[in-house]
Structures are given as structure tokens and as C-alpha cells.
């Protein structure tokens, strides 16, 4: 899983994007370093194949420990807001 985070200019919003490029294996992901921010939205984008022209979008929630499961060939987008 590769991940990156992007904040707006005044740092009131942060988006975390995690990509699972593995074709068959799901991976667990937990964002860290975001104290003071609250998760406001989470969605999973999943394609049928690496070269798929379309994908499905699903709203997701973390488990009790704050972990997200990212299926193979999927992108997890987490949106955080300050406060």
C-alpha cells in the first residue's frame, strides 16, 4: 500500500489517499499523525482490473481500532477536518 496526505492552505482539511495496487491481496491501513482532526468521510474506489475504465465507489467506515481494509486494486480516500 502506498499512501500520501494533502492539506488545504489553512490546514483545516486533510485528505489521505492510500492505494493497494496488489491484484488479489487485501491490506489493512490506519492513518496516523492526524491528532486534532476528525474523519468526515471515507470512500473506497475499486476497479475490476488494473486497466479498467470504470470503478465502483463505496462509502466505508473504520473498524473499532480505526483500521480500514483495502481490497486489491482499490484506492481508499479519507477526508479529515480540523476540530
Amino acid at each position: 500500500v502506498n499512501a500520501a496526505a494533502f492539506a488545504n492552505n489553512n490546514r483545516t482539511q486533510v485528505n489521505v489517499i492510500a492505494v493497494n495496487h496488489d491484484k488479489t491481496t487485501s491490506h489493512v491501513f490506519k492513518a496516523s499523525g492526524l491528532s486534532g482532526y476528525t474523519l468526515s468521510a471515507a470512500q473506497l474506489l475499486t476497479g475490476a482490473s488494473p486497466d479498467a475504465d470504470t470503478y465502483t465507489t463505496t462509502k466505508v467506515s473504520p473498524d473499532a481500532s480505526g483500521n480500514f481494509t483495502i481490497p486489491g486494486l482499490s484506492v481508499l480516500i479519507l477526508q479529515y477536518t480540523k476540530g
Side-chain angles (χ1 to χ4, degrees):
V1 172
N2 295 356
F6 305 91
N8 65 349
N9 287 339
N10 60 6
R11 296 187 180 178
T12 58
Q13 296 178 327
V14 174
N15 290 330
V16 177
I17 301 170
V19 179
N20 180 2
H21 50 80
D22 194 308
K23 292 180 182 177
T24 57
T25 305
S26 294
H27 292 279
V28 174
F29 178 82
K30 183 175 185 174
S32 60
L34 293 164
S35 61
Y37 289 89
T38 302
L39 182 66
S40 56
Q43 59 186 339
L44 192 63
L45 309 177
T46 305
S49 68
D51 59 352
D53 289 332
T54 60
Y55 57 88
T56 58
T57 303
T58 308
K59 290 183 181 182
V60 293
S61 299
D63 65 16
S65 298
N67 297 317
F68 291 88
T69 300
I70 309 174
L73 302 176
S74 296
V75 177
L76 176 66
I77 301 173
L78 306 176
Q79 297 172 317
Y80 290 88
T81 53
K82 190 124 184 164

